[in-house]
Structure formats: C-alpha cells, structure tokens
Amino acid sequence: VDENFIPLFQIKLLAGRNFHPNLSSDYTSIILSRKAIERIGIPNPSDAIGMKVLVNTGTFSQENYEYSEIVGVIEDFKRKALIIDPSMDEHGGVILNYKENLIPYNKPQKVAIKIQLDTYQKTLKETERVFKEVFPQEPFKGYFLDDQIGRLYANEKTARNQITLFTLIAIGIART
C-alpha cells in the first residue's frame, strides 16, 4: 500500500503513524493490525511501535527473512464476506508494507481512486485513458467499491433470507 491507503479507506490508526513518502526508512517498515500484534504477543498497540520483527521478503517457496520496524498499528478491518463460515473470519491479522519495496514480488494489482459523484464520468474516462497508456496490453476493469461489496454480500443475504423463511415455516408447522 502507499500513504493514501489508510485515509482513503478510513482505517483507524491505533498507535504510531502512517507511511510517509519522503522517509526512506518506510521502504522497509510495516504497519500491523491489532490482531497481528496480538498474535505475536503484544497486547498494547503502543508497545509495538519501534519493535523489529522478521518478515519473509521472499516468496513462499524461496523464503528470505529480514527485520522490519513496526511504525504503526491499525484497527482490524473485515476482508471477507459476512456469514459464509464464522471460523474463516479468524484471520491472523494484516501486515501492510510500503509499496513493493520490502517484498519485491508483491506488486500492486489494484488501484483505488476516490472520486466526486458530480465528476465521476469524466474522472472514470480519464482514469481509463491513463491506464491504457501505461498498460496498453491490459483491459481496464473499473468498478465501484460499494457495488463490489454488494456482490460479496448478496449470497449471504440470500442465505439469511432462506434461513429466516424456513425458520418461520418450521415455527408455523410446530404451532399447528
């Protein structure tokens, strides 16, 4: 991620600071989520700031560990859909690194842009133009975050409605 990720998605910073583009030390620094620091045995977010942890900067098949300094701790945020399987929500936390500096194979794959509703058509066309200029071989796939989130939760809403319906039917049958 870059220095715009946390403010754009309005993620709460619990301790420390965000990445800064003019600090070369941030190229190898990390920001962890609350759950990530708890997993490594740090209960208080403030205590994590300045600590150095080993990070795999290689691939899963070619491990390469380097020390990285924790500069910030963020609040946990959901990355998965609602219901599916409650045990799936028990992820190990989130680690954010600045761009691809710390983990070179971890190249950015998506770009998020916050746009004003009154100029979204113009902004979307300009974004597509720039994208095609930079990546001429790749198709431009733009979408709105709220639409993407809506698609993720559509199946869960359907399942919830079916469970409610069949529960009401079962209650109706039991009362007769």
Side-chain angles (χ1 to χ4, degrees):
V1 302
D2 67 10
E3 65 277 3
N4 299 304
F5 181 82
I6 291 172
L8 178 68
F9 291 103
Q10 299 174 353
I11 300 170
K12 185 177 180 183
L13 191 64
L14 300 175
R17 62 175 177 79
N18 192 4
F19 294 120
H20 194 282
N22 297 330
L23 291 177
S24 60
S25 61
D26 277 1
Y27 291 3
T28 57
S29 297
I30 55 174
I31 296 175
L32 299 179
S33 68
R34 179 190 301 268
K35 187 166 285 206
I37 65 162
E38 288 171 357
R39 282 193 53 154
I40 59 175
I42 307 168
N44 184 356
S46 299
D47 294 341
I49 306 306
M51 292 186 74
K52 294 198 182 257
V53 294
L54 278 175
V55 175
N56 182 9
T57 60
T59 63
F60 290 111
S61 60
Q62 247 183 345
E63 297 176 350
N64 181 40
Y65 290 94
E66 293 182 27
Y67 280 100
S68 183
E69 182 178 352
I70 302 171
V71 295
V73 177
I74 57 173
E75 187 61 73
D76 291 309
F77 57 94
K78 281 209 177 285
R79 299 178 305 148
K80 300 199 183 296
L82 271 181
I83 297 174
I84 299 176
D85 178 2
S87 66
M88 295 293 285
D89 190 39
E90 296 300 318
H91 63 81
V94 175
I95 177 174
L96 303 177
N97 62 288
Y98 190 66
K99 300 184 179 178
E100 70 274 1
N101 297 309
L102 181 64
I103 306 172
Y105 78 91
N106 195 14
K107 300 278 187 211
Q109 297 177 355
K110 294 182 181 179
V111 175
I113 302 171
K114 186 175 186 176
I115 59 176
Q116 300 297 321
L117 283 177
D118 57 337
T119 61
Y120 86 92
Q121 289 281 10
K122 180 181 175 187
T123 305
L124 199 58
K125 285 180 184 176
E126 181 62 15
T127 302
E128 183 174 4
R129 184 192 69 74
V130 171
F131 181 89
K132 286 181 177 180
E133 189 177 296
V134 176
F135 306 105
Q137 305 298 342
E138 297 293 323
F140 177 77
K141 297 180 222 167
Y143 60 86
F144 290 98
L145 184 60
D146 55 351
D147 292 341
Q148 185 73 3
I149 291 170
R151 283 191 288 276
L152 285 173
Y153 289 113
N155 291 337
E156 283 73 16
K157 288 178 184 176
T158 302
R160 181 199 63 209
N161 292 342
Q162 289 175 344
I163 291 168
T164 303
L165 174 66
F166 289 117
T167 301
L168 292 173
I169 291 171
I171 291 171
I173 292 171
R175 294 184 124 199
T176 58

